[in-house]
């Protein structure tokens, strides 16, 4: 059977076009029929629409009998074709993830090696990691597991769990304010979707004991490492070490007293030297921080297993804890990241760290495995 496709492109110049696909893509994919007409709009980067009537239509070249009653459309996420992985891509302040519905199994649907391929930004979907929604254990509502873009498995990811929360709300068709408990490699976390759509995460208590972070730097304040000397590539930095279920090394400046100008850092050069430093037996995430005021911090991050990212939720939490320990900031701060701001509170009452920020769906897709 031949299928004819007609495409009209009313372009008057060779101006480059950008395809604008909104959240309506989901409804399009769920109700798709091979005999339908789709319309797309093309935009310049400045949002000027330049191709207002691109239409793609398909029609059969021979008559086909179809049932009088068709089955109701199936949700995109409910499809179960064998050999395909269905996913939704989300981002939290530009830190992007492939979200997979894994509620029917306690084992991830893909391997770490497959995750590496899917996260490749040239030959795959492109992401900082793959996140699986799995059945809860030990009385929790859900379990989260994460594969980084290099195939390693972190204990926790702050931006990722906000995306996780929004994905659950979509899977379960939850509306309005919602709260649920999640088992993670870092222990129990509590996620709360706010009325405005932002997600507040109870990240639990920060871990400060040097051996538990872990770091080989000697403790210099009780059992913790605060503003300790760390030599990296001939420069002595002041390092404060914090674990938010995963290890962090927070840097505000060097021993010489030079405060950071984070936008001037050559992060790709210096980041890996911190990550793989001998003082961090499990490697480390590294936050480079500039202090604008006691309630406003600016941070760039080199993430263990992912490299330079636009945002790191656990890193923002560790940054505020470190800033308080060094006497640089208060317990409630806006942390400015390349992808946008997060609100972080280290609450004195219960010693828990709370993170609030956005998470948004980017697109829906299927990929052959």
């Amino acid at each position: 059977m031949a299928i004819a496709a007609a495409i009209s492109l009313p372009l008057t110049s060779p101006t480059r076009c950008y395809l604008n696909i909104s959240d309506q893509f989901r409804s399009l994919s769920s109700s798709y029929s091979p005999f339908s007409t789709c319309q797309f709009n093309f935009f310049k980067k400045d949002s000027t629409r330049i191709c207002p009537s691109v239409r793609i239509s398909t029609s059969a070249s021979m008559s086909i009998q179809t049932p009088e009653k068709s089955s109701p459309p199936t949700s995109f996420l409910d499809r179960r074709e064998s050999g395909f992985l269905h996913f939704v891509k989300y981002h939290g302040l530009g830190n992007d993830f492939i979200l997979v519905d894994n509620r029917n199994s306690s084992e991830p649907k893909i391997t770490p090696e497959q995750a590496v391929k899917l996260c490749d930004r040239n030959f795959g979907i492109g992401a900082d990691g793959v996140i699986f929604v799995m059945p809860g254990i030990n009385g929790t509502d859900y379990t989260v597991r994460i594969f980084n873009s290099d195939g390693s498995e972190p204990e926790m990811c702050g931006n990722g769990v906000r995306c996780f929360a929004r994905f659950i709300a979509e899977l379960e068709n939850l509306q309005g304010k919602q709260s649920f408990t999640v088992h993670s490699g870092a222990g129990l976390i509590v996620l709360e979707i706010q009325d405005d759509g932002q997600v507040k995460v109870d990240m639990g208590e920060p871990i400060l004991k040097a051996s538990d972070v872990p770091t080989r730097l000697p403790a210099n304040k009780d059992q913790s490492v605060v503003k300790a000397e760390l030599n990296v590539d001939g420069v002595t930095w002041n390092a404060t070490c914090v674990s938010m279920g995963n290890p962090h090394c927070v840097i505000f400046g060097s021993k010489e007293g030079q405060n950071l100008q984070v936008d001037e850092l050559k992060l790709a050069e210096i980041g890996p030297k911190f990550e793989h430093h001998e003082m961090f037996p499990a490697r480390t995430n590294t936050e480079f921080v500039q202090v604008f005021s006691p309630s406003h911090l600016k941070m760039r991050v080199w993430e263990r297993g992912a490299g330079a990212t636009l945002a790191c939720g656990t890193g923002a939490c560790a940054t505020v804890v470190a800033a308080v320990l060094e006497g640089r900031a208060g317990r409630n701060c806006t942390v400015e990241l390349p992808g946008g701001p997060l609100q972080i509170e280290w609450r004195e009452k219960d010693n828990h760290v709370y993170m609030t920020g956005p998470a948004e769906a980017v697109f829906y897709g299927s990929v052959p495995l």
Side-chain angles (χ1 to χ4, degrees):
M1 179 184 72
I3 299 292
I7 305 176
S8 62
L9 300 172
L11 294 175
T12 56
S13 70
T15 307
R16 181 174 294 178
C17 299
Y18 299 87
L19 185 62
N20 177 51
I21 304 179
S22 69
D23 289 341
Q24 295 175 352
F25 175 71
R26 183 184 181 192
S27 61
L28 171 66
S29 63
S30 64
S31 59
Y32 173 75
S33 145
F35 309 102
S36 60
T37 298
C38 306
Q39 180 164 339
F40 299 93
N41 292 317
F42 286 82
F43 292 81
K44 295 180 182 179
K45 284 185 177 179
D46 63 1
S47 298
T48 304
R49 188 167 67 172
I50 58 175
C51 309
S53 60
V54 179
R55 298 179 65 82
I56 304 174
S57 62
T58 59
S59 60
S61 60
M62 59 182 290
S63 62
I64 300 176
Q65 290 186 345
T66 58
E68 292 184 3
K69 293 183 179 181
S70 59
S71 59
T74 303
S75 167
F76 179 85
L77 292 169
D78 289 335
R79 296 180 179 181
R80 295 290 182 268
E81 295 99 329
S82 124
F84 280 82
L85 178 74
H86 303 294
F87 67 90
V88 182
K89 184 172 175 180
Y90 279 79
H91 81 90
L93 299 180
N95 199 190
D96 55 346
F97 304 93
I98 299 164
L99 275 293
V100 177
D101 181 6
N102 215 118
R103 291 173 295 170
N104 60 352
S105 173
S106 58
E107 288 298 321
K109 289 185 176 180
I110 63 171
T111 65
E113 293 74 22
Q114 289 174 311
V116 171
K117 294 180 180 179
L118 293 179
C119 289
D120 189 290
R121 297 189 183 278
N122 294 308
F123 298 99
I125 298 165
D128 292 320
V130 181
I131 298 178
F132 306 90
V133 177
M134 307 179 99
I137 59 176
N138 299 328
T140 58
D141 297 317
Y142 302 96
T143 296
V144 59
R145 285 189 65 181
I146 307 164
F147 291 154
N148 282 327
S149 57
D150 70 348
S152 61
E153 183 169 358
E155 302 88 347
M156 176 61 173
C157 176
N159 289 315
V161 295
R162 294 201 316 278
C163 296
F164 181 92
R166 292 294 299 271
F167 186 48
I168 288 172
E170 180 168 12
L171 290 173
E172 305 284 8
N173 195 27
L174 304 175
Q175 306 296 324
K177 194 169 186 176
Q178 302 289 336
S179 178
F180 26 84
T181 57
V182 178
H183 175 78
S184 75
L188 173 69
I189 56 174
V190 181
L191 308 178
E192 185 178 274
I193 301 175
Q194 308 291 293
D195 288 327
D196 62 0
Q198 295 213 44
V199 181
K200 184 175 183 178
V201 186
D202 179 353
M203 302 287 287
E205 297 186 53
I207 298 167
L208 302 176
K209 186 178 179 181
S211 59
D212 293 339
V213 170
T215 178
R216 295 191 179 103
L217 286 169
N220 59 1
K221 185 176 181 181
D222 298 326
Q223 298 183 66
S224 60
V225 174
V226 179
K227 211 173 180 181
E229 293 183 6
L230 176 66
N231 188 282
V232 179
D233 204 26
V235 178
T236 301
W237 301 89
N238 291 325
T240 294
C241 298
V242 179
S243 172
M244 293 303 307
N246 55 354
H248 293 269
C249 172
V250 185
I251 303 293
F252 293 93
S254 64
K255 181 183 176 183
E256 289 72 21
Q258 190 174 19
N259 291 326
L260 285 178
Q261 302 294 315
V262 294
D263 290 334
E264 297 176 4
L265 284 172
K266 295 180 180 179
L267 197 57
E269 292 181 14
I270 195 171
K273 296 173 183 178
F274 278 85
E275 178 184 355
H276 297 280
H277 198 284
E278 62 182 358
M279 288 295 139
F280 304 108
R283 297 189 291 163
T284 190
N285 301 279
T286 310
E287 287 74 39
F288 301 92
V289 190
Q290 186 173 347
V291 180
F292 288 108
S293 77
S295 61
H296 180 194
L297 310 175
K298 185 175 184 179
M299 182 193 94
R300 291 183 68 191
V301 60
W302 182 268
E303 290 197 53
R304 178 187 62 166
T309 61
L310 295 177
C312 176
T314 56
C317 294
T319 290
V320 172
V321 171
V324 172
L325 292 175
E326 291 196 19
R328 298 177 182 272
R331 287 178 171 266
N332 200 326
C333 294
T334 298
V335 181
E336 180 184 340
L337 305 120
L342 286 172
Q343 196 65 34
I344 309 296
E345 180 187 4
W346 185 15
R347 194 173 292 173
E348 194 167 11
K349 181 179 179 181
D350 59 9
N351 199 39
H352 285 215
V353 181
Y354 295 85
M355 170 189 61
T356 304
E360 298 179 4
V362 181
F363 62 82
Y364 301 79
S366 298
V367 60
L369 295 177

mmCIF file of all heavy atoms in Angstrom, residues 135-152:
data_model
loop_
_atom_site.group_PDB
_atom_site.id
_atom_site.type_symbol
_atom_site.label_atom_id
_atom_site.label_comp_id
_atom_site.label_asym_id
_atom_site.label_seq_id
_atom_site.Cartn_x
_atom_site.Cartn_y
_atom_site.Cartn_z
ATOM 1 N N PRO A 135 8.966 0.675 42.273
ATOM 2 C CA PRO A 135 8.076 0.444 43.420
ATOM 3 C C PRO A 135 8.743 0.830 44.736
ATOM 4 O O PRO A 135 9.960 0.667 44.905
ATOM 5 C CB PRO A 135 7.807 -1.068 43.359
ATOM 6 C CG PRO A 135 8.141 -1.472 41.963
ATOM 7 C CD PRO A 135 9.225 -0.556 41.516
ATOM 8 N N GLY A 136 7.962 1.346 45.669
ATOM 9 C CA GLY A 136 8.492 1.722 46.966
ATOM 10 C C GLY A 136 8.899 0.509 47.790
ATOM 11 O O GLY A 136 8.378 -0.591 47.605
ATOM 12 N N ILE A 137 9.851 0.719 48.690
ATOM 13 C CA ILE A 137 10.255 -0.323 49.621
ATOM 14 C C ILE A 137 10.325 0.283 51.024
ATOM 15 O O ILE A 137 10.391 1.493 51.190
ATOM 16 C CB ILE A 137 11.620 -0.958 49.254
ATOM 17 C CG1 ILE A 137 12.723 0.104 49.231
ATOM 18 C CG2 ILE A 137 11.536 -1.654 47.908
ATOM 19 C CD1 ILE A 137 14.105 -0.477 48.980
ATOM 20 N N ASN A 138 10.289 -0.580 52.019
ATOM 21 C CA ASN A 138 10.357 -0.135 53.420
ATOM 22 C C ASN A 138 9.274 0.891 53.756
ATOM 23 O O ASN A 138 9.509 1.841 54.504
ATOM 24 C CB ASN A 138 11.740 0.443 53.737
ATOM 25 C CG ASN A 138 12.853 -0.572 53.553
ATOM 26 O OD1 ASN A 138 12.654 -1.770 53.758
ATOM 27 N ND2 ASN A 138 14.021 -0.104 53.160
ATOM 28 N N GLY A 139 8.096 0.705 53.161
ATOM 29 C CA GLY A 139 6.969 1.569 53.481
ATOM 30 C C GLY A 139 6.894 2.860 52.705
ATOM 31 O O GLY A 139 5.979 3.660 52.928
ATOM 32 N N THR A 140 7.820 3.094 51.778
ATOM 33 C CA THR A 140 7.788 4.330 50.986
ATOM 34 C C THR A 140 6.837 4.178 49.796
ATOM 35 O O THR A 140 6.492 3.066 49.393
ATOM 36 C CB THR A 140 9.183 4.699 50.466
ATOM 37 O OG1 THR A 140 9.695 3.617 49.683
ATOM 38 C CG2 THR A 140 10.128 4.978 51.625
ATOM 39 N N ASP A 141 6.445 5.316 49.238
ATOM 40 C CA ASP A 141 5.537 5.287 48.084
ATOM 41 C C ASP A 141 6.248 4.841 46.810
ATOM 42 O O ASP A 141 5.668 4.154 45.970
ATOM 43 C CB ASP A 141 4.933 6.683 47.872
ATOM 44 C CG ASP A 141 4.089 7.134 49.047
ATOM 45 O OD1 ASP A 141 3.319 6.312 49.570
ATOM 46 O OD2 ASP A 141 4.205 8.309 49.446
ATOM 47 N N TYR A 142 7.507 5.261 46.653
ATOM 48 C CA TYR A 142 8.261 4.968 45.430
ATOM 49 C C TYR A 142 9.736 4.787 45.778
ATOM 50 O O TYR A 142 10.192 5.150 46.865
ATOM 51 C CB TYR A 142 8.131 6.105 44.404
ATOM 52 C CG TYR A 142 6.723 6.403 43.991
ATOM 53 C CD1 TYR A 142 6.009 7.424 44.622
ATOM 54 C CD2 TYR A 142 6.089 5.666 42.991
ATOM 55 C CE1 TYR A 142 4.702 7.701 44.260
ATOM 56 C CE2 TYR A 142 4.782 5.942 42.625
ATOM 57 C CZ TYR A 142 4.093 6.958 43.265
ATOM 58 O OH TYR A 142 2.795 7.226 42.912
ATOM 59 N N THR A 143 10.458 4.242 44.820
ATOM 60 C CA THR A 143 11.923 4.177 44.887
ATOM 61 C C THR A 143 12.484 4.876 43.665
ATOM 62 O O THR A 143 11.938 4.745 42.564
ATOM 63 C CB THR A 143 12.413 2.713 44.911
ATOM 64 O OG1 THR A 143 11.949 2.092 46.116
ATOM 65 C CG2 THR A 143 13.927 2.632 44.857
ATOM 66 N N VAL A 144 13.564 5.620 43.850
ATOM 67 C CA VAL A 144 14.236 6.271 42.725
ATOM 68 C C VAL A 144 15.616 5.662 42.549
ATOM 69 O O VAL A 144 16.336 5.421 43.511
ATOM 70 C CB VAL A 144 14.357 7.803 42.942
ATOM 71 C CG1 VAL A 144 15.131 8.134 44.209
ATOM 72 C CG2 VAL A 144 15.010 8.476 41.729
ATOM 73 N N ARG A 145 15.950 5.378 41.289
ATOM 74 C CA ARG A 145 17.315 5.004 40.935
ATOM 75 C C ARG A 145 17.745 5.872 39.765
ATOM 76 O O ARG A 145 16.921 6.279 38.936
ATOM 77 C CB ARG A 145 17.431 3.519 40.591
ATOM 78 C CG ARG A 145 17.375 2.625 41.834
ATOM 79 C CD ARG A 145 17.696 1.183 41.513
ATOM 80 N NE ARG A 145 19.068 0.998 41.057
ATOM 81 C CZ ARG A 145 19.568 -0.192 40.696
ATOM 82 N NH1 ARG A 145 18.797 -1.284 40.740
ATOM 83 N NH2 ARG A 145 20.818 -0.316 40.288
ATOM 84 N N ILE A 146 19.038 6.134 39.716
ATOM 85 C CA ILE A 146 19.576 7.080 38.737
ATOM 86 C C ILE A 146 20.850 6.503 38.129
ATOM 87 O O ILE A 146 21.702 5.981 38.851
ATOM 88 C CB ILE A 146 19.916 8.433 39.410
ATOM 89 C CG1 ILE A 146 18.714 8.979 40.181
ATOM 90 C CG2 ILE A 146 20.393 9.448 38.378
ATOM 91 C CD1 ILE A 146 19.068 10.075 41.168
ATOM 92 N N PHE A 147 20.987 6.614 36.813
ATOM 93 C CA PHE A 147 22.259 6.347 36.136
ATOM 94 C C PHE A 147 22.767 7.670 35.586
ATOM 95 O O PHE A 147 22.046 8.369 34.862
ATOM 96 C CB PHE A 147 22.094 5.343 34.989
ATOM 97 C CG PHE A 147 21.780 3.934 35.426
ATOM 98 C CD1 PHE A 147 21.100 3.073 34.576
ATOM 99 C CD2 PHE A 147 22.186 3.461 36.672
ATOM 100 C CE1 PHE A 147 20.813 1.767 34.969
ATOM 101 C CE2 PHE A 147 21.890 2.165 37.075
ATOM 102 C CZ PHE A 147 21.217 1.313 36.218
ATOM 103 N N ASN A 148 24.009 8.020 35.913
ATOM 104 C CA ASN A 148 24.628 9.216 35.351
ATOM 105 C C ASN A 148 24.943 9.011 33.874
ATOM 106 O O ASN A 148 24.896 7.886 33.352
ATOM 107 C CB ASN A 148 25.916 9.548 36.095
ATOM 108 C CG ASN A 148 25.678 10.218 37.429
ATOM 109 O OD1 ASN A 148 24.720 10.970 37.588
ATOM 110 N ND2 ASN A 148 26.542 9.944 38.398
ATOM 111 N N SER A 149 25.335 10.084 33.219
ATOM 112 C CA SER A 149 25.647 10.003 31.792
ATOM 113 C C SER A 149 26.896 9.175 31.517
ATOM 114 O O SER A 149 27.130 8.775 30.375
ATOM 115 C CB SER A 149 25.815 11.412 31.206
ATOM 116 O OG SER A 149 26.823 12.127 31.893
ATOM 117 N N ASP A 150 27.711 8.914 32.554
ATOM 118 C CA ASP A 150 28.881 8.040 32.362
ATOM 119 C C ASP A 150 28.602 6.604 32.800
ATOM 120 O O ASP A 150 29.506 5.772 32.825
ATOM 121 C CB ASP A 150 30.099 8.600 33.101
ATOM 122 C CG ASP A 150 29.993 8.503 34.624
ATOM 123 O OD1 ASP A 150 28.881 8.210 35.135
ATOM 124 O OD2 ASP A 150 31.009 8.717 35.304
ATOM 125 N N GLY A 151 27.343 6.313 33.180
ATOM 126 C CA GLY A 151 26.969 4.963 33.585
ATOM 127 C C GLY A 151 27.089 4.691 35.072
ATOM 128 O O GLY A 151 26.623 3.653 35.543
ATOM 129 N N SER A 152 27.698 5.614 35.824
ATOM 130 C CA SER A 152 27.795 5.422 37.276
ATOM 131 C C SER A 152 26.440 5.698 37.920
ATOM 132 O O SER A 152 25.564 6.331 37.322
ATOM 133 C CB SER A 152 28.863 6.349 37.865
ATOM 134 O OG SER A 152 28.536 7.711 37.631
#
